[in-house]
Amino acid sequence: MRFMMAGATLRRHPARTTLAMLGIAVAAALLLDMVMLATGMSESFRSLLLTRGYQLRVSPKGTLPFDSEATIDGAGAIVRALRANPDVKAVSPTLGATLTIDDSRIPSAFALGLERDVQGDYTLEAGTDVTPTDSVADGGTLAPLPRIVVSQTFLTRAGHAIGDTLTISSGLDAQLRTAARSSRVVIGGIGRFIYVPGETPVLALDLALLRQLLGPSFRDRMSLAMAESRRGDSASVEAVRAWIATTQPRVTAISTETAIRQVEERLSYFRQLAFVLGAISLGIGFLLVATLVTLSVNERRGEIAVLRAIGTQRIGVLHQVFLEGLLLTSAGIVGGLALGLVTAEWLNGILRDFPGLPSAFDFFVWSPDAGWRALVLLLTSGTLAGLLPAWRAASIPIARALREEAIG
């Protein structure tokens, strides 16, 4: 009964109630988006690192993977030692370089040399995978031609399609426009590269072939290696990381948890911004509900006094006015949930195009626990905003209110 009366009271002024609900919806959407931003980056980065199951990154001493152009010498011995460890399930060595692309609209592209069976850098979306290669025949040609996997950006900008043949080169002489080493390859498939920015044209080829193209100095080098713990729990991952640090002093082993902490330090600005805007949205919701319920109580002083005069208990008046704030906030939050999810997707699309970010990275990630906690917090804030006007309504002096109503 009281819910029906509270709803009827809100319907007395439909325009005012609608505007207040829209304001609460905007506040709820802002709060939800800020919570998604604050928690989403960490969850997205964690998911990004664990997409292929590798919990450890082995990089040159003192650097993050691909944070510089440094490479690891003696890669073969390091990879063999890692694979010999019974606690390590798989190891994926990777070498990165820039290659010249002939027969193409783009002069160069970022290349990843990897081992197909253990690679963790892309997922194949169409076509066939990379061809493992052991040696290059005289003249820099292969029989049969090796297959490579390229990104959709590469195909679009280079003007090629699956099945086309390219010449990839390294050691380009800027004056003579000749390459020291080159190879003919076939575009075998399209891949979704996990850690490379979406705007970067990238190709993947066999690690041995890339080393041959780069020359003798790269014969035993890699840019990084990814390792997967056999058991997968945090303790075993940390044990493998400590073992690498002890036995391989020329490299740095970074676990997923460590990488997440380092990235959070670099993105702390976004978390601070999310906290400030989230606090503002809570304040907006509180003030909107408090203002509207206070106006409603002031307009109904005489009506409330009559209810008290005919025997309605103070607690009854308190409950009814309190329910008005609850209904108003609840209706606004329902709209805010839908609005927040739509705006988060829109904003995520804008931020995802920021240069230098992996194409699979998301700024806004829906987390049920965090999202519902934020909405419950706003609901609590809006409901509590009705306490003061509800208490004032229950405390209205009956005689004075009736006299003022009669004079008015």
Side-chain angles (χ1 to χ4, degrees):
M1 182 65 179
R2 286 174 181 163
F3 272 101
M4 296 177 61
M5 294 178 63
T9 300
L10 293 176
R11 289 194 296 271
R12 287 184 180 181
H13 302 280
R16 187 171 69 189
T17 302
T18 300
L19 289 175
M21 288 171 54
L22 289 175
I24 295 172
V26 171
L30 178 60
L31 178 61
L32 180 62
D33 287 348
M34 292 305 100
V35 170
M36 292 172 66
L37 177 64
T39 61
M41 291 183 293
S42 298
E43 293 303 318
S44 178
F45 191 68
R46 181 189 301 274
S47 175
L48 188 71
L49 293 181
L50 296 176
T51 298
R52 306 289 286 184
Y54 292 105
Q55 309 102 336
L56 288 163
R57 268 68 180 171
V58 179
S59 61
K61 190 70 172 180
T63 70
L64 292 174
F66 288 118
D67 209 25
S68 67
E69 295 183 359
T71 56
I72 303 170
D73 195 14
I78 295 175
V79 171
R80 286 191 297 271
L82 292 175
R83 288 173 174 168
N85 188 321
D87 292 330
V88 176
K89 181 179 180 181
V91 179
S92 174
T94 303
L95 178 62
T98 300
L99 296 180
T100 302
I101 311 297
D102 298 336
D103 316 315
S104 172
R105 296 176 188 171
I106 55 176
S108 62
F110 181 64
L112 287 172
L114 40 81
E115 296 178 358
R116 183 188 66 183
D117 295 337
V118 293
Q119 67 84 16
D121 291 277
Y122 66 86
T123 55
L124 188 67
E125 294 186 328
T128 56
D129 214 337
V130 168
T131 302
T133 304
D134 295 323
S135 62
V136 178
D138 293 339
T141 60
L142 291 176
L145 295 179
R147 293 191 302 267
I148 64 173
V149 171
V150 301
S151 64
Q152 184 61 55
T153 300
F154 181 98
L155 286 184
T156 302
R157 293 176 57 180
H160 283 289
I162 293 178
D164 288 355
T165 301
L166 299 174
T167 300
I168 55 177
S169 310
S170 69
L172 181 67
D173 189 307
Q175 293 181 339
L176 300 178
R177 301 298 296 172
T178 59
R181 291 161 294 275
S182 64
S183 176
R184 299 285 288 172
V185 296
V186 176
I187 299 177
I190 302 174
R192 179 174 180 265
F193 289 82
I194 301 169
Y195 309 109
V196 180
E199 73 274 7
T200 302
V202 58
L203 61 91
L205 68 162
D206 184 63
L207 177 59
L209 176 57
L210 180 59
R211 284 172 171 169
Q212 291 167 0
L213 287 171
L214 295 177
S217 60
F218 285 86
R219 185 171 299 163
D220 196 25
R221 288 185 176 271
M222 64 182 178
S223 299
L224 80 151
M226 294 183 288
E228 180 181 0
S229 168
R230 189 170 298 279
R231 285 181 290 175
D233 57 278
S234 299
S236 61
V237 171
E238 180 58 27
V240 173
R241 188 208 62 78
W243 173 81
I244 295 174
T246 302
T247 61
Q248 306 295 331
R250 293 185 294 112
V251 299
T252 296
I254 304 172
S255 67
T256 298
E257 298 302 327
T258 301
I260 289 173
R261 286 196 299 269
Q262 292 176 346
V263 168
E264 284 185 339
E265 290 176 0
R266 297 187 179 189
L267 299 177
S268 60
Y269 168 79
F270 289 97
R271 298 179 66 88
Q272 294 172 7
L273 178 64
F275 176 80
V276 171
L277 293 180
I280 291 175
S281 68
L282 279 176
I284 291 173
F286 183 91
L287 292 175
L288 280 172
V289 175
T291 300
L292 186 64
V293 176
T294 299
L295 287 174
S296 176
V297 168
N298 289 338
E299 290 176 351
R300 296 157 47 217
R301 286 174 59 86
E303 174 187 329
I304 293 172
V306 170
L307 290 174
R308 292 289 311 284
I310 61 177
T312 302
Q313 297 294 319
R314 177 178 295 184
I315 191 66
V317 175
L318 183 67
H319 281 172
Q320 182 172 339
V321 177
F322 184 78
L323 286 175
E324 292 177 22
L326 176 62
L327 289 176
L328 185 64
T329 306
S330 300
I333 286 178
V334 171
L337 177 61
L339 180 62
L341 293 176
V342 171
T343 54
E345 184 64 26
W346 176 63
L347 291 172
N348 195 55
I350 295 175
L351 294 174
R352 191 184 291 165
D353 293 334
F354 192 82
L357 287 176
S359 58
F361 187 82
D362 291 311
F363 281 84
F364 296 85
V365 177
W366 166 254
S367 170
D369 291 340
W372 291 120
R373 279 200 302 268
L375 296 180
V376 168
L377 183 61
L378 181 60
L379 177 63
T380 303
S381 175
T383 304
L384 292 178
L387 278 180
L388 180 59
W391 179 258
R392 290 183 58 194
S395 304
I396 290 176
I398 299 176
R400 188 201 308 172
L402 291 174
R403 185 170 57 253
E404 290 174 353
E405 185 71 12
I407 295 175

